[in-house]
Structure formats: structure tokens, C-alpha cells
């Protein structure tokens, strides 16, 4: 879709501006950054603010300032999903022209009464000229989507049996994450997606959309998710604490250990720039623990 004909490595870090940087965010930032640097690639930042109901004013700047303080260096302008709406519309039109989209009027309550977790296909025959307020769903097909994750290994889902007809535009008019992320990754020519395993199960849906939209599929690399002592994901929604920039050296070392990189004990005494130099030089993706969740060290 873009112009990256030579397929130079382009990676990205895509936080949602819903709060400050917590440890879970830092793991994804460090993992994606080191993969890009090790591959002499570019590292782009995208603010995933498509869900405007969840976004917090000023959180985007807070995240960028924290990344700067850690010494992350990104390429180009930060991309905001809220500036991409016209491209999401174009992708939607393309899917509509393939007769792959239908309006869904089902309420959450109606759907919760069905036995299956999957959408039962109730509205499949509805016309796109539907006037009542509706979401838009993509038709699922009996297709196995397989991919080989660079950390987690082979992963496969049948779109019809395991994903069902999923939402690409919400009833409130906002585009769904699954469509937005696929359009953005294509437009930014992303060659490898490094992110947490909480998105591992979303990947086949994204590849399905890439195939329908005739986009290339990047390499995927899912990092273990940092969990707390109670097994909960360390995230903004769980009220995780903001990373303390005063301890940036310790936090970076802790993150390297979390990602299986085994930095020497005395590296923590070094300047943050020297920790980065060590980390880029010694980064090995194969050392990342092949587990979906890992207790934050
Ligand atoms: Zn429906």
C-alpha cells in the first residue's frame, strides 16, 4: 500500500492514549524498539486513539515525554488514528464492494442470550440501506488463518468457527480497532508487529482483513504479558502505577530481564545510553520466554 518496495524493516509502537506509561507499556515499547534497532530499521509511533471515548486528554504527550526521558528515539511524525478516518472509510468501501459487510442491529443484551460466544449471524441478510442505528460486521468464512509468530510459534484460527462475523464499525459510529490497525499497519508499511500476547488472538482477524483488502501481512512477534502477583495484566485499566522515570536505569534492566535478555549485574550502574547500547548489541529475540503471561520481575 505504501512505498516500502525494498522491504526495509519498519516496526512500530502503538499505545492507546488512555493514561500514563506503566510497566506493561514499557515492555512493548522496549521489545518493539530493540527489534527495530537490531534490524537497522525504523521505529514508528502510532497513537491508537480510534476509541475516542477511552482517550484521556494529554495522555499522548505524557507517553511521548516518558519515552523521551527513557531515551527512545522514533522516526517521523507520530500518527494519530483520529486523523486516519478517511482511510478507514476507504477500506470499508472496498470491503462493501466485495459484499463482505452487513449491518447488525442486535443489542448486547440480545447477543448475550445466545449459547455461543460467537455472533450467530442473525443480521447477515440485512440490507446496507438499513436506516436504524447499527454496527457493521464483516462476513466470516470457513478459512483457516495460520501464521508463525516469531516468539510464540505457529498459531491458527478458523475465522468462521473461532472468530465469527466481527464488528468493523461500531454502532456509535467509531471504527473498530481491528479495521483501524490493519489500515494503519499497511499505510505505514509496517514489516513487523511487536506487541503483547493480549493481541495474539486478534491477529488472525487482522490477517483476514489484510487478505480481503489485498494488503501484505507483516511478521508478528508477541511478547509475554506482564502480570501482577494476582495474575492480572499490568495495565491502565487495572490502575497500574505510572513508571517512575527517576528509576529509568533499573526499569530498563528489569524489562530486559523480563524479556529474557540477561544483562550483566553491574549494567544497572551505567548511564541509560550505555544500557541501550548493550541492549541493542545483545538483543536476541530467541531469548524471549515463549509464554503468554509472565509475572513482572
Ligand atoms: Zn445482528
Amino acid at each position: 500500500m505504501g512505498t516500502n518496495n525494498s522491504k526495509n524493516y519498519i516496526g512500530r509502537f502503538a499505545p492507546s492514549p488512555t493514561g500514563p506509561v506503566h510497566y506493561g507499556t514499557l515492555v512493548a515499547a522496549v521489545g518493539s524498539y530493540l527489534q527495530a534497532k537490531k534490524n537497522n530499521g525504523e521505529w514508528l509511533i502510532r497513537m491508537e486513539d480510534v476509541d475516542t471515548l477511552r482517550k484521556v486528554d494529554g495522555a499522548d504527550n505524557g507517553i511521548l515525554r516518558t519515552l523521551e526521558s527513557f531515551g527512545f528515539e522514533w522516526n517521523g511524525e507520530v500518527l494519530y488514528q483520529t486523523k486516519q478516518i478517511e482511510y478507514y472509510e476507504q477500506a470499508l468501501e472496498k470491503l462493501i464492494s466485495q459484499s463482505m459487510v452487513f449491518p447488525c442491529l442486535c443489542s448486547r443484551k440480545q447477543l448475550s442470550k445466545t449459547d455461543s460466544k460467537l455472533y450467530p449471524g442473525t443480521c447477515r441478510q440485512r440490507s446496507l440501506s438499513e436506516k436504524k442505528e447499527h454496527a457493521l460486521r464483516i462476513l466470516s468464512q470457513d478459512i483457516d488463518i495460520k501464521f508463525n509468530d516469531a516468539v510464540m510459534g505457529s498459531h491458527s484460527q478458523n475465522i468462521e468457527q473461532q472468530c465469527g462475523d466481527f464488528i468493523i464499525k461500531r454502532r456509535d459510529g467509531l471504527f473498530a480497532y481491528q479495521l483501524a490497525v490493519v489500515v494503519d499497519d499497511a499505510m505505514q508499511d509496517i514489516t513487523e508487529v511487536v506487541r503483547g500476547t493480549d493481541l495474539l488472538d486478534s491477529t488472525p482477524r487482522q490477517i483476514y482483513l489484510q487478505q480481503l483488502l489485498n494488503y501484505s501481512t507483516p511478521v508478528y512477534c508477541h511478547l509475554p504479558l506482564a502480570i501482577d502477583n494476582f495474575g492480572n495484566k499490568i495495565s491502565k485499566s487495572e490502575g497500574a502505577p505510572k513508571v517512575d522515570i527517576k528509576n529509568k536505569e533499573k526499569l530498563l534492566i528489569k524489562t530486559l530481564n523480563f524479556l529474557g535478555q540477561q544483562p550483566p549485574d553491574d549494567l544497572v550502574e551505567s548511564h541509560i545510553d550505555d544500557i541501550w547500547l548493550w541492549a541493542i548489541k545483545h538483543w536476541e529475540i530467541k531469548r524471549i520466554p515463549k509464554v503468554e503471561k509472565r509475572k513482572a520481575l
Side-chain angles (χ1 to χ4, degrees):
M1 190 172 181
T3 52
N4 186 25
N5 297 325
S6 54
K7 282 287 167 201
N8 294 322
Y9 186 103
I10 304 178
R12 47 62 153 202
F13 171 57
S16 304
T18 54
V21 174
H22 54 80
Y23 184 65
T25 327
L26 188 63
V27 169
V30 169
S32 60
Y33 187 67
L34 291 174
Q35 255 303 89
K37 291 289 156 189
K38 187 78 184 188
N39 286 284
N40 295 311
E42 289 183 42
W43 188 67
L44 311 182
I45 295 186
R46 176 193 314 150
M47 285 293 163
E48 295 201 328
D49 60 352
V50 69
D51 186 350
T52 49
L53 304 177
R54 286 181 60 234
K55 111 177 160 190
V56 172
D57 282 342
D60 56 341
N61 275 322
I63 291 169
L64 296 175
R65 296 299 80 79
T66 303
L67 293 174
E68 252 170 18
S69 309
F70 268 91
F72 287 95
E73 290 170 2
W74 57 90
N75 298 89
E77 297 276 312
V78 175
L79 184 79
Y80 284 78
Q81 289 187 319
T82 41
K83 304 262 168 69
Q84 293 276 90
I85 306 299
E86 62 176 301
Y87 304 109
Y88 306 154
E89 292 287 358
Q90 286 169 12
L92 175 62
E93 287 306 317
K94 201 165 163 184
L95 295 168
I96 287 174
S97 72
Q98 298 169 40
S99 305
M100 292 303 292
V101 181
F102 66 90
C104 171
L105 274 69
C106 302
S107 65
R108 211 169 280 226
K109 197 172 166 190
Q110 275 171 295
L111 293 177
S112 69
K113 283 181 192 147
T114 58
D115 296 335
S116 164
K117 275 198 286 183
L118 293 183
Y119 179 71
T122 320
C123 302
R124 275 187 163 196
Q125 301 308 322
R126 284 188 195 277
S127 153
L128 278 163
S129 57
E130 180 59 54
K131 290 284 177 285
K132 282 187 209 135
E133 197 176 64
H134 57 265
L136 291 175
R137 289 182 185 268
I138 191 100
L139 271 176
S140 58
Q141 298 173 82
D142 182 19
I143 296 175
D144 288 318
I145 301 278
K146 294 188 178 108
F147 68 100
N148 199 19
D149 189 87
V151 175
M152 303 299 293
S154 73
H155 197 81
S156 167
Q157 276 178 359
N158 182 283
I159 294 296
E160 190 168 48
Q161 290 157 28
Q162 289 172 277
C163 306
D165 304 335
F166 58 94
I167 290 180
I168 53 171
K169 193 174 186 183
R170 298 167 16 172
R171 184 189 277 262
D172 61 11
L174 294 174
F175 279 97
Y177 166 75
Q178 305 292 4
L179 181 66
V181 72
V182 160
V183 172
D184 297 338
D185 284 336
M187 282 193 62
Q188 291 189 295
D189 280 322
I190 302 300
T191 61
E192 185 171 85
V193 172
V194 181
R195 60 186 180 187
T197 55
D198 49 338
L199 290 162
L200 188 60
D201 269 351
S202 284
T203 307
R205 271 171 280 176
Q206 293 172 15
I207 295 174
Y208 181 56
L209 289 175
Q210 285 157 3
Q211 292 180 353
L212 291 172
L213 290 163
N214 205 17
Y215 298 162
S216 51
T217 291
V219 175
Y220 286 94
C221 172
H222 287 88
L223 307 173
L225 209 62
I227 51 171
D228 63 18
N229 289 335
F230 306 101
N232 299 315
K233 176 187 167 187
I234 298 182
S235 73
K236 287 162 274 204
S237 49
E238 300 289 342
K242 176 181 173 177
V243 293
D244 183 4
I245 203 70
K246 286 200 296 289
N247 292 326
K248 57 178 187 276
E249 295 82 3
K250 261 190 203 153
L251 274 165
L252 182 52
I253 295 285
K254 179 174 144 169
T255 308
L256 292 171
N257 276 312
F258 180 86
L259 293 170
Q261 302 302 305
Q262 302 167 331
D265 288 343
D266 58 354
L267 191 62
V268 71
E269 311 297 334
S270 305
H271 189 275
I272 193 86
D273 294 349
D274 295 319
I275 303 178
W276 279 121
L277 284 177
W278 183 92
I280 294 165
K281 188 170 175 214
H282 295 91
W283 174 254
E284 289 281 359
I285 195 171
K286 64 173 190 286
R287 291 213 194 106
I288 299 172
K290 198 180 164 178
V291 291
E292 293 209 16
K293 292 176 183 174
R294 190 167 194 219
K295 215 167 98 181
L297 304 169

